[in-house]
Amino acid sequence: MSFLNLSYEIMPGLLKGAVVTLELTVCSISLGFILGVALALGRLYGKRPVSLFCTGYIEFFRGTPLLVQLLILYYGLPPYGIRLSSFVAGILGLGLNSAAYQAEYFRGAIQSVSQGEIMAARAIGMSRFKAIVNIILPQMFRIVIPSWSNELIYTLKYSSVAYMIGAPELMAQAKFIAAENFRYFEVFLVVAFIYLIAVVILSRILSVLEKRVRIPGLQMAQ
Amino acid sequence: MLIDQPVILRVENIHKNYGKEKVLEDISFEVKRGETKVIIGPSGTGKSTLLRCINQLTTPDSGTVWLDGIDITNSGSDINQVRQSIGMVFQDFNLFSHLSALDNVRLGLLKVKKMDKRKASQEAMTQLVRVGLEDKAASYPAELSGGQQQRVSIARALAMGPKLMLFDEPTSALDPELIGEVLAVMKDLAKSGMTMVVVSHELGFARSVCDEIIFIEKGVIVEQGSPAVLFGNPRHQRTREFLSKINELYGETGKK
Ligand SMILES: Nc1ncnc2c1ncn2[C@@H]1O[C@H](COP(=O)(O)OP(=O)(O)OP(=O)(O)O)[C@@H](O)[C@H]1O
Ligand SMILES: [Mg+2]
């Protein structure tokens, strides 16, 4: 059977997995986004215990392997009465992990917002909270886009480890198909292409977004 | 008559240390409604710290700041209310870089004063007209010259309807040819009756609009008096020396 014919034949199965991969990626990057913003703000502006907790969280999740985190969530929790489906455990694991990395990107972006602007905001009577919401966050989201798009791509690719806990994502499907037809090389070549296409599309979307929100006059700052 | 003008700002015995360094030592002065005071002094002498102590961006270690008869030194969360009536203009403008000129001026009206959008836009536009920048309303800070940015920042402060304006070396980050346009706006403001405390070494400006010059060195007020007295016949040798030094350095740009 030719490569094209084979690709055509295995495509439906792989695409089913690709959809799950995409779902995993979108859900976990979103979870990581919300948590990441909170962690970055908590680390920078929280009272001491909050700030310490956020720092500890970030260090823990960046300092231990993603796979270990996933295995703990999936196999480690049931004895304590918490039973997660492989899909949910996958989203949680990827999301909690990504939150730590995103928090650091957000922190870097926040720290590059000018202190003088914060002072100017306070000087017209804004509370600290309002200054964060109206001055810091809008600038942070713009500054962070390039590094954040890396994180998105990593998450998409690392979502493949969810196959280790049996989530029916792209890698799991591929392994399943290849185990039946023994065409490992071709199957995984197609899988690599599917990832590549997804990555290219996502980075295009983000670079369009980056251009659309660019602040006029600040060409390629930073 | 000056004596009948009510005192808007009274600064009483302000002390401020950073670590062991005494930055401000027992600073006291008063500003009456409509007056313009110019503060001069060498670099690192505490001028910026003094201005920040007035609107409590920096908390003084001791001493009291009275605004319109109210002690604002320990006003807790009411400080956000108080700061609306004290406009501040910074050396490096500090415009919100992600917002257009109009939005820079409008933001405080919307988010702090909770004005509705139409009224806020009108008010912001009025202030931009006042500083001569109505045609730049849609421009972003990075698209404006330094002089234009500083005028937007003056408009941003004025929009809040302040009783008092603080200027911290508003022209010292500007190219010489842009200084005049900012000083012109400030002179108009002084003449329109705004109460102003200005840290600046633009002696031409001081000579033409200010009521009193305060010379600070190493955290203490060395001498204060009318421009005529300080320029003509200062009591202290140090004042004379310093004035002639800045005269050399800055000349008298803005003197018209
Ligand atoms: N936040 C701070 N922490 C520690 N030291 C500070 C702080 N702010 C100011 N200082 C110190 O206080 C002194 C006075 O600073 P300040 O900026 O008020 O001087 P200045 O008169 O405005 O000087 P310049 O003319 O250079 O603007 C300086 O020695 C400065 O190093
Ligand atoms: Mg200063």
Side-chain angles (χ1 to χ4, degrees), chain A residues 60-106:
Chain A
F60 177 80
F61 278 92
R62 291 199 313 161
T64 54
L66 173 59
L67 185 55
V68 172
Q69 295 159 18
L70 271 184
L71 293 180
I72 291 176
L73 280 172
Y74 189 63
Y75 294 111
L77 294 183
Y80 302 95
I82 304 171
R83 211 168 290 278
L84 303 172
S85 73
S86 58
F87 185 68
V88 171
I91 289 172
L92 262 184
L94 286 161
L96 295 179
N97 183 275
S98 175
Y101 286 93
Q102 292 190 48
E104 287 298 271
Y105 291 135
F106 291 140

CSV table of all heavy atoms in Angstrom, one decimal, chain A residues 60-106:
chain,number,residue,atom,x,y,z
A,60,PHE,N,7.7,24.4,42.4
A,60,PHE,CA,7.4,23.0,42.4
A,60,PHE,C,7.0,22.5,41.0
A,60,PHE,O,7.5,21.5,40.6
A,60,PHE,CB,6.2,22.7,43.4
A,60,PHE,CG,5.8,21.3,43.4
A,60,PHE,CD1,6.5,20.3,44.1
A,60,PHE,CD2,4.7,20.9,42.6
A,60,PHE,CE1,6.1,19.0,44.1
A,60,PHE,CE2,4.3,19.5,42.6
A,60,PHE,CZ,5.0,18.6,43.4
A,61,PHE,N,6.1,23.2,40.3
A,61,PHE,CA,5.7,22.7,39.0
A,61,PHE,C,6.7,22.8,37.9
A,61,PHE,O,6.7,22.1,37.0
A,61,PHE,CB,4.3,23.3,38.6
A,61,PHE,CG,3.2,22.7,39.3
A,61,PHE,CD1,2.7,23.1,40.5
A,61,PHE,CD2,2.6,21.6,38.7
A,61,PHE,CE1,1.6,22.5,41.1
A,61,PHE,CE2,1.5,20.9,39.4
A,61,PHE,CZ,1.0,21.4,40.6
A,62,ARG,N,7.6,23.8,38.1
A,62,ARG,CA,8.7,23.9,37.1
A,62,ARG,C,9.8,22.9,37.4
A,62,ARG,O,10.6,22.5,36.6
A,62,ARG,CB,9.2,25.3,37.0
A,62,ARG,CG,8.2,26.2,36.4
A,62,ARG,CD,8.9,27.5,35.9
A,62,ARG,NE,9.8,28.1,36.9
A,62,ARG,CZ,10.8,28.9,36.6
A,62,ARG,NH1,10.9,29.3,35.3
A,62,ARG,NH2,11.6,29.4,37.5
A,63,GLY,N,9.9,22.5,38.7
A,63,GLY,CA,11.0,21.7,39.1
A,63,GLY,C,10.8,20.2,39.1
A,63,GLY,O,11.7,19.5,39.4
A,64,THR,N,9.6,19.8,38.8
A,64,THR,CA,9.4,18.3,38.7
A,64,THR,C,8.8,18.0,37.3
A,64,THR,O,8.2,18.8,36.7
A,64,THR,CB,8.3,17.9,39.8
A,64,THR,OG1,7.1,18.7,39.6
A,64,THR,CG2,8.8,18.1,41.2
A,65,PRO,N,9.1,16.8,36.9
A,65,PRO,CA,8.7,16.4,35.5
A,65,PRO,C,7.2,16.4,35.4
A,65,PRO,O,6.4,15.9,36.3
A,65,PRO,CB,9.2,15.0,35.3
A,65,PRO,CG,10.3,14.8,36.4
A,65,PRO,CD,9.9,15.7,37.5
A,66,LEU,N,6.7,16.8,34.2
A,66,LEU,CA,5.3,16.8,33.9
A,66,LEU,C,4.7,15.4,34.0
A,66,LEU,O,3.6,15.2,34.6
A,66,LEU,CB,5.1,17.4,32.5
A,66,LEU,CG,3.7,17.3,31.9
A,66,LEU,CD1,2.7,18.1,32.7
A,66,LEU,CD2,3.7,17.9,30.5
A,67,LEU,N,5.5,14.4,33.6
A,67,LEU,CA,4.9,13.1,33.6
A,67,LEU,C,4.7,12.6,35.0
A,67,LEU,O,3.6,12.0,35.3
A,67,LEU,CB,5.9,12.1,32.9
A,67,LEU,CG,5.4,10.7,32.7
A,67,LEU,CD1,4.1,10.6,32.0
A,67,LEU,CD2,6.5,9.9,32.0
A,68,VAL,N,5.6,13.0,35.9
A,68,VAL,CA,5.4,12.6,37.3
A,68,VAL,C,4.1,13.2,37.9
A,68,VAL,O,3.3,12.6,38.6
A,68,VAL,CB,6.6,13.1,38.2
A,68,VAL,CG1,6.3,12.9,39.7
A,68,VAL,CG2,7.9,12.3,37.7
A,69,GLN,N,3.9,14.5,37.5
A,69,GLN,CA,2.7,15.2,38.0
A,69,GLN,C,1.4,14.5,37.4
A,69,GLN,O,0.5,14.4,38.2
A,69,GLN,CB,2.7,16.7,37.5
A,69,GLN,CG,3.9,17.5,38.1
A,69,GLN,CD,4.2,18.7,37.3
A,69,GLN,OE1,3.4,19.2,36.5
A,69,GLN,NE2,5.4,19.3,37.5
A,70,LEU,N,1.5,14.1,36.2
A,70,LEU,CA,0.4,13.5,35.6
A,70,LEU,C,0.1,12.1,36.3
A,70,LEU,O,-1.1,11.8,36.6
A,70,LEU,CB,0.6,13.2,34.1
A,70,LEU,CG,0.3,14.2,33.1
A,70,LEU,CD1,0.5,13.7,31.7
A,70,LEU,CD2,-1.2,14.6,33.2
A,71,LEU,N,1.1,11.4,36.5
A,71,LEU,CA,1.0,10.1,37.1
A,71,LEU,C,0.4,10.2,38.6
A,71,LEU,O,-0.4,9.4,39.0
A,71,LEU,CB,2.3,9.3,37.1
A,71,LEU,CG,2.8,8.9,35.7
A,71,LEU,CD1,4.1,8.1,35.8
A,71,LEU,CD2,1.8,8.1,35.0
A,72,ILE,N,0.9,11.2,39.3
A,72,ILE,CA,0.3,11.4,40.6
A,72,ILE,C,-1.2,11.7,40.5
A,72,ILE,O,-2.0,11.2,41.3
A,72,ILE,CB,1.1,12.6,41.3
A,72,ILE,CG1,2.5,12.2,41.6
A,72,ILE,CG2,0.3,13.0,42.6
A,72,ILE,CD1,3.3,13.3,42.3
A,73,LEU,N,-1.5,12.6,39.6
A,73,LEU,CA,-3.0,13.0,39.5
A,73,LEU,C,-3.8,11.8,39.1
A,73,LEU,O,-4.9,11.6,39.6
A,73,LEU,CB,-3.1,14.1,38.4
A,73,LEU,CG,-2.8,15.5,38.8
A,73,LEU,CD1,-2.8,16.4,37.6
A,73,LEU,CD2,-3.8,16.0,39.9
A,74,TYR,N,-3.3,11.0,38.2
A,74,TYR,CA,-4.1,9.9,37.7
A,74,TYR,C,-4.1,8.6,38.6
A,74,TYR,O,-5.2,8.1,38.9
A,74,TYR,CB,-3.7,9.5,36.3
A,74,TYR,CG,-4.7,8.6,35.6
A,74,TYR,CD1,-6.0,9.0,35.3
A,74,TYR,CD2,-4.2,7.3,35.2
A,74,TYR,CE1,-6.8,8.1,34.7
A,74,TYR,CE2,-5.1,6.5,34.6
A,74,TYR,CZ,-6.4,6.9,34.3
A,74,TYR,OH,-7.3,6.0,33.7
A,75,TYR,N,-2.9,8.2,39.0
A,75,TYR,CA,-2.8,7.0,39.8
A,75,TYR,C,-2.7,7.2,41.3
A,75,TYR,O,-3.0,6.4,42.1
A,75,TYR,CB,-1.6,6.2,39.3
A,75,TYR,CG,-1.7,5.7,37.9
A,75,TYR,CD1,-0.9,6.2,36.9
A,75,TYR,CD2,-2.6,4.7,37.6
A,75,TYR,CE1,-1.0,5.7,35.6
A,75,TYR,CE2,-2.7,4.2,36.3
A,75,TYR,CZ,-1.9,4.7,35.3
A,75,TYR,OH,-2.0,4.2,34.0
A,76,GLY,N,-2.2,8.4,41.6
A,76,GLY,CA,-1.9,8.7,43.0
A,76,GLY,C,-3.1,9.1,43.8
A,76,GLY,O,-3.1,9.0,45.1
A,77,LEU,N,-4.1,9.7,43.2
A,77,LEU,CA,-5.2,10.3,43.9
A,77,LEU,C,-6.4,9.3,44.3
A,77,LEU,O,-7.0,9.4,45.3
A,77,LEU,CB,-5.8,11.5,43.2
A,77,LEU,CG,-4.9,12.7,43.1
A,77,LEU,CD1,-5.6,13.9,42.4
A,77,LEU,CD2,-4.4,13.1,44.5
A,78,PRO,N,-6.6,8.3,43.4
A,78,PRO,CA,-7.8,7.4,43.7
A,78,PRO,C,-7.7,6.8,45.1
A,78,PRO,O,-8.8,6.7,45.8
A,78,PRO,CB,-7.6,6.3,42.7
A,78,PRO,CG,-7.1,7.0,41.5
A,78,PRO,CD,-6.1,8.0,42.1
A,79,PRO,N,-6.6,6.4,45.7
A,79,PRO,CA,-6.6,5.9,47.1
A,79,PRO,C,-7.1,6.9,48.1
A,79,PRO,O,-7.6,6.5,49.1
A,79,PRO,CB,-5.1,5.7,47.4
A,79,PRO,CG,-4.5,5.5,46.0
A,79,PRO,CD,-5.2,6.3,45.1
A,80,TYR,N,-7.1,8.2,47.7
A,80,TYR,CA,-7.7,9.2,48.6
A,80,TYR,C,-9.1,9.6,48.2
A,80,TYR,O,-9.6,10.6,48.6
A,80,TYR,CB,-6.8,10.5,48.6
A,80,TYR,CG,-5.4,10.2,49.1
A,80,TYR,CD1,-4.4,9.9,48.1
A,80,TYR,CD2,-5.1,10.1,50.4
A,80,TYR,CE1,-3.1,9.6,48.5
A,80,TYR,CE2,-3.8,9.8,50.8
A,80,TYR,CZ,-2.8,9.5,49.9
A,80,TYR,OH,-1.5,9.2,50.3
A,81,GLY,N,-9.7,8.8,47.3
A,81,GLY,CA,-11.1,9.0,47.0
A,81,GLY,C,-11.3,9.9,45.8
A,81,GLY,O,-12.4,10.3,45.5
A,82,ILE,N,-10.2,10.4,45.2
A,82,ILE,CA,-10.4,11.3,44.1
A,82,ILE,C,-10.1,10.5,42.8
A,82,ILE,O,-8.9,10.2,42.5
A,82,ILE,CB,-9.5,12.5,44.2
A,82,ILE,CG1,-9.7,13.2,45.5
A,82,ILE,CG2,-9.7,13.5,43.0
A,82,ILE,CD1,-8.7,14.3,45.8
A,83,ARG,N,-11.1,10.2,42.0
A,83,ARG,CA,-10.9,9.4,40.8
A,83,ARG,C,-11.2,10.3,39.6
A,83,ARG,O,-12.3,10.8,39.4
A,83,ARG,CB,-11.9,8.3,40.8
A,83,ARG,CG,-11.5,7.0,40.2
A,83,ARG,CD,-12.4,5.9,40.5
A,83,ARG,NE,-12.3,5.5,41.9
A,83,ARG,CZ,-11.3,4.6,42.4
A,83,ARG,NH1,-10.5,4.2,41.5
A,83,ARG,NH2,-11.3,4.3,43.6
A,84,LEU,N,-10.1,10.6,38.8
A,84,LEU,CA,-10.3,11.5,37.7
A,84,LEU,C,-10.2,10.6,36.4
A,84,LEU,O,-9.5,9.7,36.3
A,84,LEU,CB,-9.1,12.5,37.6
A,84,LEU,CG,-9.0,13.4,38.8
A,84,LEU,CD1,-7.7,14.2,38.7
A,84,LEU,CD2,-10.2,14.3,39.0
A,85,SER,N,-11.0,11.0,35.4
A,85,SER,CA,-10.9,10.4,34.1
A,85,SER,C,-9.5,10.8,33.5
A,85,SER,O,-8.9,11.8,33.9
A,85,SER,CB,-12.0,10.8,33.1
A,85,SER,OG,-11.8,12.1,32.7
A,86,SER,N,-9.0,10.0,32.5
A,86,SER,CA,-7.7,10.3,32.0
A,86,SER,C,-7.8,11.6,31.3
A,86,SER,O,-6.8,12.4,31.3
A,86,SER,CB,-7.3,9.2,31.0
A,86,SER,OG,-8.2,9.1,30.0
A,87,PHE,N,-8.9,12.0,30.7
A,87,PHE,CA,-9.0,13.3,30.0
A,87,PHE,C,-8.9,14.4,31.0
A,87,PHE,O,-8.1,15.4,30.8
A,87,PHE,CB,-10.3,13.3,29.3
A,87,PHE,CG,-10.5,14.6,28.4
A,87,PHE,CD1,-9.7,14.8,27.3
A,87,PHE,CD2,-11.5,15.5,28.7
A,87,PHE,CE1,-9.9,15.9,26.5
A,87,PHE,CE2,-11.7,16.6,28.0
A,87,PHE,CZ,-10.9,16.8,26.9
A,88,VAL,N,-9.7,14.3,32.1
A,88,VAL,CA,-9.7,15.4,33.1
A,88,VAL,C,-8.3,15.5,33.8
A,88,VAL,O,-7.8,16.6,34.0
A,88,VAL,CB,-10.8,15.1,34.2
A,88,VAL,CG1,-10.6,16.1,35.3
A,88,VAL,CG2,-12.1,15.3,33.5
A,89,ALA,N,-7.7,14.3,34.1
A,89,ALA,CA,-6.4,14.3,34.7
A,89,ALA,C,-5.4,15.0,33.8
A,89,ALA,O,-4.5,15.7,34.2
A,89,ALA,CB,-6.0,12.9,35.1
A,90,GLY,N,-5.5,14.7,32.5
A,90,GLY,CA,-4.6,15.3,31.5
A,90,GLY,C,-4.8,16.8,31.5
A,90,GLY,O,-3.8,17.5,31.5
A,91,ILE,N,-6.0,17.3,31.5
A,91,ILE,CA,-6.2,18.8,31.5
A,91,ILE,C,-5.6,19.4,32.7
A,91,ILE,O,-4.9,20.4,32.7
A,91,ILE,CB,-7.7,19.1,31.4
A,91,ILE,CG1,-8.2,18.8,30.0
A,91,ILE,CG2,-7.9,20.6,31.7
A,91,ILE,CD1,-9.7,18.9,29.8
A,92,LEU,N,-5.9,18.8,33.9
A,92,LEU,CA,-5.5,19.3,35.1
A,92,LEU,C,-3.9,19.3,35.2
A,92,LEU,O,-3.3,20.3,35.5
A,92,LEU,CB,-6.0,18.4,36.3
A,92,LEU,CG,-7.2,18.9,37.0
A,92,LEU,CD1,-7.5,18.0,38.2
A,92,LEU,CD2,-7.0,20.4,37.5
A,93,GLY,N,-3.3,18.2,34.8
A,93,GLY,CA,-1.9,18.1,34.9
A,93,GLY,C,-1.2,19.1,34.0
A,93,GLY,O,-0.3,19.9,34.4
A,94,LEU,N,-1.6,19.1,32.7
A,94,LEU,CA,-1.0,20.0,31.8
A,94,LEU,C,-1.3,21.5,32.2
A,94,LEU,O,-0.4,22.3,32.1
A,94,LEU,CB,-1.6,19.8,30.4
A,94,LEU,CG,-1.1,18.5,29.6
A,94,LEU,CD1,-2.0,18.1,28.5
A,94,LEU,CD2,0.3,18.7,29.1
A,95,GLY,N,-2.5,21.7,32.7
A,95,GLY,CA,-2.9,23.1,33.0
A,95,GLY,C,-2.2,23.6,34.2
A,95,GLY,O,-1.6,24.7,34.2
A,96,LEU,N,-2.1,22.8,35.3
A,96,LEU,CA,-1.4,23.2,36.5
A,96,LEU,C,0.1,23.4,36.2
A,96,LEU,O,0.7,24.3,36.7
A,96,LEU,CB,-1.5,22.1,37.6
A,96,LEU,CG,-2.9,21.9,38.1
A,96,LEU,CD1,-2.9,20.8,39.2
A,96,LEU,CD2,-3.5,23.2,38.7
A,97,ASN,N,0.6,22.6,35.3
A,97,ASN,CA,2.0,22.7,35.0
A,97,ASN,C,2.3,24.0,34.1
A,97,ASN,O,3.2,24.8,34.4
A,97,ASN,CB,2.5,21.5,34.2
A,97,ASN,CG,3.9,21.5,33.8
A,97,ASN,OD1,4.3,22.1,32.8
A,97,ASN,ND2,4.8,20.9,34.7
A,98,SER,N,1.4,24.2,33.1
A,98,SER,CA,1.6,25.3,32.3
A,98,SER,C,1.4,26.6,33.0
A,98,SER,O,2.0,27.6,32.8
A,98,SER,CB,0.5,25.2,31.1
A,98,SER,OG,0.6,26.4,30.3
A,99,ALA,N,0.5,26.6,34.1
A,99,ALA,CA,0.3,27.8,34.9
A,99,ALA,C,1.6,28.3,35.5
A,99,ALA,O,1.8,29.5,35.5
A,99,ALA,CB,-0.7,27.5,36.0
A,100,ALA,N,2.5,27.4,35.9
A,100,ALA,CA,3.7,27.8,36.5
A,100,ALA,C,4.6,28.5,35.5
A,100,ALA,O,5.2,29.6,35.8
A,100,ALA,CB,4.5,26.6,37.0
A,101,TYR,N,4.7,28.0,34.3
A,101,TYR,CA,5.5,28.7,33.2
A,101,TYR,C,4.8,30.0,32.8
A,101,TYR,O,5.5,31.0,32.6
A,101,TYR,CB,5.6,27.7,32.0
A,101,TYR,CG,6.6,26.6,32.3
A,101,TYR,CD1,6.2,25.4,32.8
A,101,TYR,CD2,8.0,26.8,32.1
A,101,TYR,CE1,7.0,24.4,33.1
A,101,TYR,CE2,8.9,25.8,32.4
A,101,TYR,CZ,8.4,24.6,32.9
A,101,TYR,OH,9.3,23.6,33.2
A,102,GLN,N,3.5,29.9,32.6
A,102,GLN,CA,2.8,31.2,32.2
A,102,GLN,C,3.0,32.3,33.2
A,102,GLN,O,3.2,33.4,32.9
A,102,GLN,CB,1.4,30.9,31.9
A,102,GLN,CG,1.1,30.0,30.7
A,102,GLN,CD,-0.3,30.0,30.3
A,102,GLN,OE1,-1.0,31.0,30.2
A,102,GLN,NE2,-0.8,28.8,30.0
A,103,ALA,N,2.9,31.9,34.5
A,103,ALA,CA,3.1,32.9,35.6
A,103,ALA,C,4.4,33.6,35.4
A,103,ALA,O,4.5,34.8,35.6
A,103,ALA,CB,3.0,32.2,36.9
A,104,GLU,N,5.5,32.8,35.1
A,104,GLU,CA,6.8,33.5,35.0
A,104,GLU,C,6.8,34.4,33.7
A,104,GLU,O,7.4,35.5,33.8
A,104,GLU,CB,7.9,32.4,34.9
A,104,GLU,CG,8.2,31.7,36.2
A,104,GLU,CD,8.7,32.7,37.3
A,104,GLU,OE1,9.9,32.9,37.4
A,104,GLU,OE2,7.8,33.3,38.0
A,105,TYR,N,6.2,34.0,32.7
A,105,TYR,CA,6.1,34.9,31.5
A,105,TYR,C,5.4,36.2,31.9
A,105,TYR,O,5.8,37.3,31.5
A,105,TYR,CB,5.5,34.2,30.3
A,105,TYR,CG,6.3,33.1,29.7
A,105,TYR,CD1,5.7,31.9,29.4
A,105,TYR,CD2,7.6,33.2,29.5
A,105,TYR,CE1,6.4,30.8,28.8
A,105,TYR,CE2,8.3,32.2,28.9
A,105,TYR,CZ,7.7,31.0,28.6
A,105,TYR,OH,8.4,30.0,28.0
A,106,PHE,N,4.2,36.0,32.6
A,106,PHE,CA,3.4,37.2,32.9
A,106,PHE,C,4.2,38.1,33.9
A,106,PHE,O,4.2,39.3,33.8
A,106,PHE,CB,2.1,36.7,33.6
A,106,PHE,CG,1.2,36.1,32.7
A,106,PHE,CD1,0.4,34.9,33.1
A,106,PHE,CD2,1.0,36.5,31.4
A,106,PHE,CE1,-0.4,34.3,32.2
A,106,PHE,CE2,0.1,35.9,30.5
A,106,PHE,CZ,-0.6,34.8,30.9
